[in-house]
């Protein structure tokens, strides 16, 4: 069977969110064919049983260990047959037109290797991670020390989050986010899958870097959107997540930038990541858990809030 897009969803103890995500995909209004491949990373809840029962059409890969985001998606890619591959987070809700709009765009632009839509947070604000520049040492410095906030309209100080660019317009960018990332099969065949050295952060940046190096365009296309709930019920993050987030920064710099800069700059980058890691652990320890809205509440909220005002909030990688 010819399939237009293979939708890959990685699940790890997010049964309710994943099922809401799946329902939103099945509610899509599209003329394109799709398959859904769900990779479960050894969830301790009853995700596998419930999802298998409620969504028998989903191809389910059940791992015996938590192999991470990159490896799980690579497993899905190996089993996929679509001419496009869509990485879709389990904590997202797609709109009815999302698949139709994004695949139509990719069909019209054979030079584009990967694209992403606008991503909205539960409060109706833009998830800035959906359109980014590469985190060069200078871009990372201006972002980390607040220059991007002080001078939001200056490209020099906003090289990472691209805050000076209108989020309602489409244009080529450096980086998408793995929460929604639509790739052409030919692009994957050329550059390979995700780098499994990255466990759950940074693999999307690395992939985009390799896609651009291979000569493909990467495009931000905000003619449609999804809601990204940002991972579940609590703001307080487990140590493993905080650690992997900062480890990904080191991996990305070492892989793509360390040979381009002298030892002083490299040392400064590594020291800066170390300080940020320590501060994140301290902040995390002092943060109380906070509930986030359900997917249905979030979609209604963004319909209302987004129509009135699209404000920005700070997000990480």
């Amino acid at each position: 069977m010819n399939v237009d897009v293979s939708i890959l969803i990685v699940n790890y103890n997010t049964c309710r969110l994943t099922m809401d995500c799946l329902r939103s995909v099945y509610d899509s209004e599209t003329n394109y064919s799709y398959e859904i491949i769900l990779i479960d990373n050894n969830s301790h809840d009853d995700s596998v049983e419930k999802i298998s029962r409620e969504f028998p059409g989903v191809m389910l890969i059940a791992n015996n260990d938590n192999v991470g985001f990159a490896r799980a998606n690579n497993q899905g890619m190996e089993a996929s047959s679509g001419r496009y591959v869509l990485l879709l987070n389990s904590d997202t809700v797609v709109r009815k037109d999302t698949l139709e709009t994004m695949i139509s765009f990719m069909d019209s632009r054979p030079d584009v290797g990967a694209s992403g839509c606008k991503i909205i947070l539960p409060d109706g604000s833009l998830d800035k991670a959906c359109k980014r520049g590469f985190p060069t040492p200078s871009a990372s410095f201006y972002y980390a020390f607040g220059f991007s906030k002080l001078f939001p309209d200056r490209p020099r100080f906003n090289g990472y989050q691209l805050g000076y660019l209108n989020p309602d317009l489409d244009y080529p960018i450096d980086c998408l986010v793995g929460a929604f990332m639509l790739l052409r099969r030919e692009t994957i065949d050329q550059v390979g899958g995700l780098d499994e050295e990255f466990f759950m952060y940074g693999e999307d940046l690395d992939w985009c870097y390799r896609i651009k190096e291979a000569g493909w365009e990467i495009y931000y296309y905000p003619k449609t959107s999804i809601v990204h709930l940002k991972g579940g019920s609590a703001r307080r993050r487990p140590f493993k997540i905080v650690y992997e987030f900062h480890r990904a920064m080191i991996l990305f710099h070492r892989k793509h930038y360390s040979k381009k800069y002298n030892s002083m700059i490299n040392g400064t980058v590594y020291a800066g990541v170390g300080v940020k890691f320590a501060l994140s652990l301290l902040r995390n320890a002092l943060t109380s858990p906070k509930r986030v809205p359900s997917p249905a509440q979030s979609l209604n909220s963004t319909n209302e809030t987004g129509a009135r005002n699209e404000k920005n909030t700070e997000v990480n990688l």
Side-chain angles (χ1 to χ4, degrees), residues 1 97 117 139 145-146 157 159 162 171-172 215 223 229-230 241 248 264 282 289 292 309:
M1 181 181 69
D97 72 326
C117 64
F145 287 92
F157 300 114
L162 307 179
Y171 33 73
K223 306 304 180 183
L229 300 176
K230 284 290 189 182
I241 291 179
M264 181 176 294
L282 177 62
V292 298
N309 176 39

Side-chain angles (χ1 to χ4, degrees), residues 13-258:
N13 295 326
T14 56
C15 183
R16 179 181 63 85
L17 291 172
T18 300
M19 292 175 73
D20 285 324
C21 176
L22 289 168
R23 291 187 190 102
S24 74
V25 172
Y26 279 118
D27 285 341
S28 296
E29 297 176 353
T30 179
N31 293 314
Y32 293 105
S33 60
Y34 60 85
E35 63 179 359
I36 302 175
I37 303 173
L38 190 138
I39 308 93
D40 184 82
N41 268 339
N42 195 29
S43 294
H44 303 307
D45 57 13
D46 51 1
S47 292
V48 172
E49 178 184 347
K50 282 189 174 181
I51 293 170
S52 298
R53 183 172 63 247
E54 184 158 342
F55 301 97
V58 170
M59 183 190 307
L60 200 149
I61 299 172
N63 288 322
N64 294 322
D65 298 293
N66 183 357
V67 299
F69 185 80
R71 174 61 185 140
N73 273 299
N74 284 344
Q75 288 177 300
M77 275 180 262
E78 291 167 6
S80 68
S81 59
R83 58 193 183 94
Y84 294 108
V85 170
L86 172 63
L87 270 59
L88 183 67
N89 263 28
S90 63
D91 59 345
T92 61
V93 176
V94 302
R95 300 193 185 277
K96 292 183 184 297
D97 72 326
T98 301
L99 296 181
E100 183 75 18
T101 300
M102 294 306 299
I103 298 173
S104 294
F105 168 70
M106 291 292 283
D107 279 350
S108 72
R109 291 292 304 269
D111 60 317
V112 174
S115 65
C117 64
K118 179 187 287 187
I119 300 181
I120 305 300
L121 296 173
D123 64 358
S125 64
L126 180 73
D127 184 344
K128 296 180 182 180
C130 67
K131 58 176 186 69
R132 295 175 287 176
F134 290 128
T136 63
S138 59
S140 299
F141 174 83
Y142 292 135
Y143 169 68
F145 287 92
F147 287 92
S148 58
K149 286 186 176 181
L150 290 173
F151 307 102
D153 299 323
R154 299 282 293 276
R156 176 181 178 182
F157 300 114
N158 287 269
Y160 179 54
Q161 288 191 331
L162 307 179
Y164 60 93
L165 295 177
N166 187 337
D168 295 322
L169 300 179
D170 57 283
Y171 33 73
I173 57 172
D174 286 337
C175 303
L176 301 166
V177 65
F180 185 100
M181 197 169 176
L182 181 62
L183 292 99
R184 195 176 301 276
R185 174 69 63 176
E186 293 89 341
T187 304
I188 298 173
D189 290 342
Q190 181 178 353
V191 305
L194 293 164
D195 184 347
E196 296 176 15
E197 184 73 12
F198 296 88
F199 185 77
M200 62 179 298
Y201 290 105
E203 68 288 309
D204 47 4
L205 288 170
D206 172 74
W207 216 11
C208 287
Y209 195 95
R210 290 187 281 133
I211 290 169
K212 294 273 284 191
E213 275 194 321
W216 293 93
E217 285 274 24
I218 294 176
Y219 233 82
Y220 170 70
Y221 193 71
K223 306 304 180 183
T224 186
S225 63
I226 66 168
V227 176
H228 188 195
L229 300 176
K230 284 290 189 182
S233 63
R235 282 189 173 183
R236 180 183 295 161
R237 297 179 172 185
F239 174 83
K240 173 71 171 175
I241 291 179
V242 179
Y243 169 75
E244 290 295 343
F245 178 79
H246 292 85
R247 187 178 76 91
M249 297 181 188
I250 297 293
L251 287 175
F252 184 87
H253 181 86
R254 183 179 298 155
K255 182 174 181 179
H256 297 296
Y257 291 133
S258 62

